[in-house]
Amino acid sequence: MAEEGVKVHGFWISPYSTRVEIALKMKGVKYEYVEEDLQNKSSELLQYNHVHKKVPVLIHNGKAIAESKIILEYIDETWKNNPIMPQDPHEKAMARFWAKFIDDEFLQPLRKALFFGEMEVEKAIEETKVNLKILEKVLEGKNFFGGERIGLVDIVATSIAYWVPLFEKAVEKKMLTEEFPKLCNWKNKYVNHNIIKEALPPKDKSIAYFRARFAKFRTSS
Amino acid sequence: MAEEGVKVHGFWISPYSTRVEIALKMKGVKYEYVEEDLQNKSSELLQYNHVHKKVPVLIHNGKAIAESKIILEYIDETWKNNPIMPQDPHEKAMARFWAKFIDDEFLQPLRKALFFGEMEVEKAIEETKVNLKILEKVLEGKNFFGGERIGLVDIVATSIAYWVPLFEKAVEKKMLTEEFPKLCNWKNKYVNHNIIKEALPPKDKSIAYFRARFAKFRTSS
């Protein structure tokens, strides 16, 4: 039974809804999970996120919040244990900066290549490697983007730790190579963390999903 | 003389750098303003915002912060008087949601039509009106998006109060009509507020700039 009326509307392989589940698990908040059929969204989702009609949506005490990074900050402000955000205003700004960078810059080439066919795979890999170089530097002297523990940027970067390898399998090309030792080290620590492991979708099903998405686009283009 | 080593790198008509100046003025923080030549950016800007190389950048005590909405939250967390953010976590999440909506959804059609020629003006106006309808509802029962006083969404919506009328003048079409009484009322209150008026760029120069940008694109396409 979910505590305090907490509900998440998500989609099993969405990196955005997985973030929300990770944050709730880190806080030890029990929640009800509602899997959405993205072809036939629930009336609750359409009502609660009437602007974007997208997962994830968090519902807490009857009020809805949309947009994964906004939900993460809400969770951190509502349940104070195991903080996700740094306390120092400058560190907080930097965490928000890198989280935004991952969503707005890092993920875009891979999304365009894999899901929308708006970019060649080679070009997407090239751009992704430029971004991986930038993020490799951010990890300098740190175990996690959050320092010694998992924070906002790590949770947002689940897209890199879990989804980039799926993309690699789908297109049969490597990106997270030994050129990026800190990111590889981070990725291994991160995906093997107890809470993260529990929140990630099943691997075989994920690989099959990514391969099918990629193949579908290749044959239909 | 700027207090506490506060410096803003901006561009006079950028709605993004104007936001930062508005927030600093609301807090009564004195700052040094550095006008950037966007064709020949200062080495300080390139160094401080090496990822995006864009204005605005706020420098405080030798540390740089980029991205206007992130800077606004930093300012609010650093100087506590005249709060920009609501205190309640759900209200805070909603403020972040609408601020993101204005940047990611609202401004895009107008930017595409006016600055990049990627969209027809008529189509941009149509999409903008759909978004104005959404925002009109958000103002229900309020003087400002922040309630009784100016907050994050109002500052971000300077783009609507000041730049939409510039766009209207450039293309000679109206958008903020009597269909949107609450937005028109808000706009008038907002741009005539003492602090806002002082922070906005000179009107005639702004109109000339917008007209020139629009004409340049029209003749070169």
Side-chain angles (χ1 to χ4, degrees):
Chain A
M1 177 66 195
E3 275 168 24
E4 304 173 70
V6 182
K7 206 190 254 193
V8 178
H9 286 251
F11 180 63
W12 69 280
I13 202 169
S14 157
Y16 306 104
S17 50
T18 304
R19 291 171 186 178
V20 174
E21 292 199 77
I22 288 172
L24 290 171
K25 283 181 202 294
M26 278 177 67
K27 300 284 187 176
V29 177
K30 289 204 172 63
Y31 58 94
E32 184 187 336
Y33 176 78
V34 181
E35 174 73 2
E36 287 286 339
D37 173 356
L38 299 186
Q39 305 311 315
N40 182 23
K41 293 170 183 169
S42 72
S43 58
E44 215 177 355
L45 176 69
L46 301 180
Q47 171 202 333
Y48 278 125
N49 187 5
H50 61 92
V51 178
H52 302 304
K53 304 176 177 68
K54 279 182 187 167
V55 293
V57 168
L58 176 78
I59 300 160
H60 181 213
N61 290 335
K63 287 181 178 169
I65 303 135
E67 299 281 353
S68 67
K69 293 195 297 299
I70 295 174
I71 298 172
L72 294 182
E73 292 221 38
Y74 174 85
I75 290 172
D76 203 42
E77 284 156 10
T78 303
W79 294 281
K80 307 276 187 194
N81 62 313
N82 296 333
I84 290 168
M85 295 300 287
Q87 289 311 295
D88 171 74
H90 185 262
E91 283 178 32
K92 209 183 268 188
M94 292 314 293
R96 289 178 179 137
F97 180 86
W98 291 118
K100 189 174 190 303
F101 173 80
I102 291 169
D103 275 354
D104 294 359
E105 317 274 325
F106 186 91
L107 290 180
Q108 295 320 311
L110 300 182
R111 278 168 56 87
K112 281 183 187 167
L114 188 65
F115 290 123
F116 304 107
E118 296 166 359
M119 189 183 272
E120 285 302 311
V121 168
E122 288 304 329
K123 176 91 183 131
I125 290 177
E126 201 181 294
E127 290 193 13
T128 300
K129 283 183 137 190
V130 170
N131 290 331
L132 286 171
K133 254 179 215 153
I134 292 171
L135 291 172
E136 177 80 3
K137 279 191 195 141
V138 181
L139 275 174
E140 191 73 50
K142 290 178 182 178
N143 274 322
F144 293 106
F145 287 101
E148 282 313 299
R149 63 181 182 197
I150 290 172
L152 178 80
V153 184
D154 297 281
I155 299 175
V156 169
T158 311
S159 321
I160 302 173
Y162 189 75
W163 276 263
V164 165
L166 293 177
F167 182 90
E168 290 179 335
K169 283 219 164 58
V171 303
E172 292 171 5
K173 297 263 163 71
K174 284 290 274 182
M175 280 174 286
L176 271 170
T177 62
E178 63 277 10
E179 284 176 75
F180 310 109
K182 286 182 194 75
L183 275 165
C184 290
N185 184 39
W186 164 79
K187 183 203 100 170
N188 292 334
K189 271 209 184 77
Y190 184 72
V191 296
N192 288 307
H193 184 285
N194 274 350
I195 288 173
I196 309 306
K197 211 158 42 177
E198 194 197 323
L200 290 171
K203 201 156 189 175
D204 288 349
K205 192 179 165 194
S206 305
I207 294 171
Y209 180 87
F210 263 64
R211 283 202 172 127
R213 278 299 294 248
F214 187 62
K216 189 180 166 193
F217 162 66
R218 290 290 119 170
T219 52
S220 68
S221 68
Chain B
M1 177 68 195
E3 275 168 22
E4 304 173 69
V6 182
K7 206 190 255 191
V8 177
H9 287 252
F11 180 63
W12 70 278
I13 201 169
S14 156
Y16 306 104
S17 51
T18 303
R19 289 171 187 178
V20 175
E21 293 199 78
I22 288 172
L24 289 171
K25 284 182 202 294
M26 277 178 66
K27 299 284 185 176
V29 177
K30 290 207 171 60
Y31 58 93
E32 184 187 335
Y33 176 77
V34 182
E35 173 73 4
E36 287 286 339
D37 174 355
L38 299 186
Q39 306 308 315
N40 183 24
K41 294 170 183 169
S42 73
S43 58
E44 214 177 357
L45 177 68
L46 301 180
Q47 172 203 332
Y48 278 126
N49 187 5
H50 61 90
V51 177
H52 302 303
K53 304 175 177 69
K54 279 184 186 164
V55 295
V57 168
L58 175 78
I59 300 162
H60 181 214
N61 291 333
K63 287 180 179 169
I65 303 134
E67 299 280 355
S68 68
K69 291 195 298 299
I70 295 174
I71 298 172
L72 294 181
E73 292 221 34
Y74 174 85
I75 289 171
D76 202 42
E77 283 156 11
T78 303
W79 294 280
K80 308 277 187 193
N81 62 312
N82 296 334
I84 291 169
M85 297 297 290
Q87 291 311 297
D88 171 75
H90 185 262
E91 283 178 31
K92 209 183 267 187
M94 291 315 293
R96 289 178 179 137
F97 179 86
W98 292 116
K100 189 176 190 304
F101 173 80
I102 291 168
D103 276 353
D104 295 0
E105 318 273 327
F106 186 91
L107 289 180
Q108 295 320 311
L110 299 183
R111 278 168 56 86
K112 282 183 188 168
L114 188 65
F115 290 124
F116 304 107
E118 296 166 359
M119 191 184 270
E120 285 303 312
V121 168
E122 289 303 329
K123 175 93 182 132
I125 291 177
E126 199 182 296
E127 290 193 10
T128 299
K129 284 185 138 190
V130 170
N131 290 330
L132 285 171
K133 252 178 218 157
I134 293 171
L135 291 172
E136 176 81 3
K137 278 192 196 142
V138 181
L139 275 175
E140 191 73 50
K142 290 178 182 177
N143 274 320
F144 294 106
F145 287 102
E148 282 313 299
R149 63 182 181 197
I150 290 172
L152 177 81
V153 183
D154 297 281
I155 300 176
V156 169
T158 311
S159 320
I160 301 173
Y162 189 74
W163 276 262
V164 165
L166 292 177
F167 182 90
E168 290 179 334
K169 283 218 163 55
V171 304
E172 292 171 5
K173 297 263 162 73
K174 285 290 273 182
M175 280 174 287
L176 271 171
T177 62
E178 63 278 8
E179 284 175 73
F180 310 109
K182 288 182 193 75
L183 276 164
C184 290
N185 184 40
W186 163 79
K187 184 204 98 170
N188 292 334
K189 273 211 183 77
Y190 184 72
V191 297
N192 288 308
H193 184 284
N194 274 350
I195 289 175
I196 308 305
K197 210 160 42 177
E198 194 198 322
L200 290 173
K203 200 155 190 178
D204 287 351
K205 194 179 164 194
S206 305
I207 295 171
Y209 179 88
F210 263 65
R211 284 203 172 126
R213 279 296 297 245
F214 187 62
K216 190 180 164 192
F217 162 67
R218 290 290 119 169
T219 53
S220 67
S221 67

